[in-house]
Amino acid sequence: MDKHRIEKKKRVKGIEVIGRDVFNEDGFLRLEKMTLKNIYEDGTSSRSYKTEMVHRRGIDSVAIIPYFFDEEGRLNIFLKRGIRPAVYFRKNLPLAIPDSSDNLYIYEAIAGSLEEEDRDEQSVAERASKEIFEELGFRVKVEDIEDLGGGFYPSHGQSSEKIHLRAISVRPEEKLEASGDGSVSEQDSRTEVIDAKKILEMCSRGEIEDPKIEIGVSRLCKKLQY
């Protein structure tokens, strides 16, 4: 037998659910524990295996990159810094590589969960415009929301969430007081304006750790040929 021959593996054509348990069904995050089998093209199936997955109430979310050019022609981006308990309490976990900061205030893109009624491109743009006003204080037209390409899965190994990326050109002088969403966790969110080049440098150094920012700003730079 040729030792370099590549073994032909069976192709999966679907997945069969053998068993399913749902926890926290009415909560914001729903956990599913499932027993599955892979179904192959030849009609056979794999042995059963277990997996767990998390679903958000609205399933997906939208992240928005608000931007403007200053007098020197630099591309500036609005970001926010806020508290996220899940990240802050990482310090209590046995981390492989300890975090370099205390993770109290972290950089985030302007973003929000889709609601159950958000089910098309128009509703995603409308949700984006609402988040821009709640988190930054800009009133923007839905038709001015810009698409930044296909969405991405931030944690596809265990979450069904897809993040849809959008951008919006804003005028700093038109910024109003942000209304907020009423949550305690966002009462002390802080807004910062940073130029795109510095943002990408901070991402590389690990000073900004939100992938929505790096992907969104990179795509915006490409779109604007900046």
Side-chain angles (χ1 to χ4, degrees), residues 24-147:
N24 198 38
E25 191 161 9
D26 296 326
F28 180 73
L29 295 178
R30 185 175 79 251
L31 171 65
E32 285 193 66
K33 292 187 175 183
M34 306 177 77
T35 302
L36 308 172
K37 279 187 179 181
N38 291 342
I39 307 301
Y40 300 117
E41 289 180 339
D42 64 3
T44 62
S45 60
S46 71
R47 67 180 183 274
S48 63
Y49 61 96
K50 296 182 182 297
T51 189
E52 297 179 359
M53 61 191 74
V54 175
H55 311 287
R56 298 164 70 96
R57 182 180 296 142
I59 305 175
D60 292 345
S61 59
V62 61
I64 313 99
I65 307 297
Y67 70 92
F68 68 95
F69 287 94
D70 62 21
E71 294 179 351
E72 285 74 38
R74 289 176 301 212
L75 177 61
N76 289 278
I77 312 294
F78 278 93
L79 301 179
K80 71 172 188 176
R81 297 188 77 177
I83 59 171
R84 291 296 179 189
V87 177
Y88 177 70
F89 287 110
R90 277 173 53 86
K91 61 187 180 182
N92 298 333
L93 301 175
L95 304 175
I97 301 175
D99 292 336
S100 58
S101 71
D102 63 6
N103 288 329
L104 182 56
Y105 284 91
I106 63 170
Y107 283 102
E108 291 186 320
I110 308 303
S113 297
L114 300 185
E115 300 296 337
E116 294 174 342
E117 65 269 20
D118 296 334
R119 288 295 175 265
D120 54 29
E121 294 287 345
Q122 176 71 11
S123 60
V124 171
E126 291 172 355
R127 184 63 54 192
S129 68
K130 291 176 182 176
E131 293 296 333
I132 285 293
F133 182 68
E134 283 186 2
E135 299 191 22
L136 282 184
F138 286 108
R139 294 191 184 277
V140 300
K141 296 179 180 178
V142 172
E143 57 267 28
D144 291 337
I145 300 291
E146 304 171 35
D147 194 333

